[in-house]
Amino acid sequence: MAIKFQYNKTSLQQLEKQLKIRVRTLPIIKNKESALRLEVKRCKTEAAELEERLEKQIQAYEAMFALWNEFDASLIRVKDVHLGVRKIAGVRVPLLETVDFEIRPYSVFCSPKWYADGIHILKKLAETAIEREFTLAKLGLLEHARKKTTQKVNLFEKVQIPGYQDALRKIKRFMEDEENLSKSSQKILKSIQEKRKEAEV
């Protein structure tokens, strides 16, 4: 990215201002990036744990597979999922608060005795699955924010800050050269005038 500038004091001041802003902002962005990196790692671990827990729960009830054919799955359904929002390093992520279930009335006397346990088991499975989905959604948002922040850090560190420093160096050199040329031309003029005066005398 080439930084546009002119060889004058106004341009020099503007570039110095822009450079100061980026140098001051860079540590803040780096801190945000490391916080997001840490949170992404934590979120991945949490997602893996939830995946494992869900697998274990499903495997634990596979022994009762024959009974599940008798179970009326329409007895229970997810009624509502209550969400919250949490900010992690400036990124708004959804937070699962509670899951409401709707349990259709059923006859305790006519239904098998284990129906109550079956409803409880399905509740636990659904809660774990929903929690896992929210963790994966949170992970996606955090990953995206981390990538954007890393890009910004790289842009500042590798492109903009060196670019501004280079532009400032060029302007300063140009202005110094201009000043030196002006001084030397004044000296030459002065010496010429002195020689004329000596010749006249």
Side-chain angles (χ1 to χ4, degrees):
M1 183 189 113
I3 291 162
K4 292 177 183 175
F5 62 90
Q6 294 171 340
Y7 292 98
N8 56 37
K9 277 189 176 179
T10 311
S11 184
L12 182 75
Q13 287 170 344
Q14 287 173 343
L15 290 177
E16 282 174 341
K17 189 179 174 186
Q18 290 296 321
L19 179 63
K20 270 183 191 171
I21 289 168
R22 278 156 180 77
V23 168
R24 229 185 346 223
T25 310
L26 185 61
I28 297 164
I29 300 172
K30 277 186 169 180
N31 286 342
K32 180 180 179 176
E33 185 201 17
S34 60
L36 284 169
R37 195 178 297 278
L38 205 76
E39 200 59 43
V40 163
K41 193 176 177 184
R42 192 179 299 138
C43 204
K44 280 181 179 175
T45 307
E46 191 182 331
E49 285 171 2
L50 284 166
E51 185 74 46
E52 199 177 308
R53 193 192 324 163
L54 188 64
E55 284 298 316
K56 280 181 181 175
Q57 285 177 345
I58 291 168
Q59 285 173 2
Y61 305 119
E62 275 183 352
M64 302 185 296
F65 188 71
L67 293 174
W68 286 112
N69 289 336
E70 296 174 30
F71 187 75
D72 183 7
S74 67
L75 288 178
I76 183 170
R77 72 177 188 92
V78 176
K79 184 181 177 185
D80 201 1
V81 177
H82 297 280
L83 305 174
V85 175
R86 183 173 153 217
K87 268 193 173 184
I88 299 170
V91 181
R92 292 167 58 92
V93 291
L95 194 69
L96 179 66
E97 289 177 350
T98 55
V99 179
D100 291 341
F101 291 96
E102 187 179 303
I103 299 165
R104 212 180 71 214
Y106 64 96
S107 170
V108 180
F109 301 109
C110 298
S111 305
K113 198 169 92 175
W114 58 273
Y115 260 38
D117 290 335
I119 289 170
H120 179 73
I121 288 166
L122 280 179
K123 260 188 184 180
K124 286 285 175 205
L125 282 169
E127 279 174 356
T128 306
I130 291 168
E131 195 178 343
R132 188 197 66 184
E133 288 304 313
F134 269 88
T135 304
L136 291 173
K138 182 169 85 170
L139 180 63
L141 289 169
L142 289 170
E143 275 272 310
H144 179 71
R146 186 200 55 77
K147 279 180 188 168
K148 287 279 179 201
T149 311
T150 304
Q151 285 172 351
K152 201 167 194 174
V153 166
N154 289 339
L155 177 70
F156 276 28
E157 241 179 4
K158 295 181 174 92
V159 179
Q160 288 187 346
I161 291 175
Y164 280 112
Q165 287 169 339
D166 188 46
L168 287 168
R169 209 173 11 260
K170 284 177 183 173
I171 294 171
K172 284 176 184 172
R173 278 187 191 151
F174 177 82
M175 289 169 82
E176 282 171 8
D177 290 347
E178 209 173 48
E179 194 179 320
N180 290 340
L181 282 170
S182 149
K183 281 180 184 174
S184 35
S185 63
Q186 284 172 358
K187 281 181 185 176
I188 293 168
L189 269 171
K190 198 175 184 182
S191 68
I192 290 171
Q193 286 172 348
E194 284 173 3
K195 283 180 183 176
R196 278 187 189 163
K197 280 181 187 175
E198 283 174 15
E200 286 173 7
V201 173

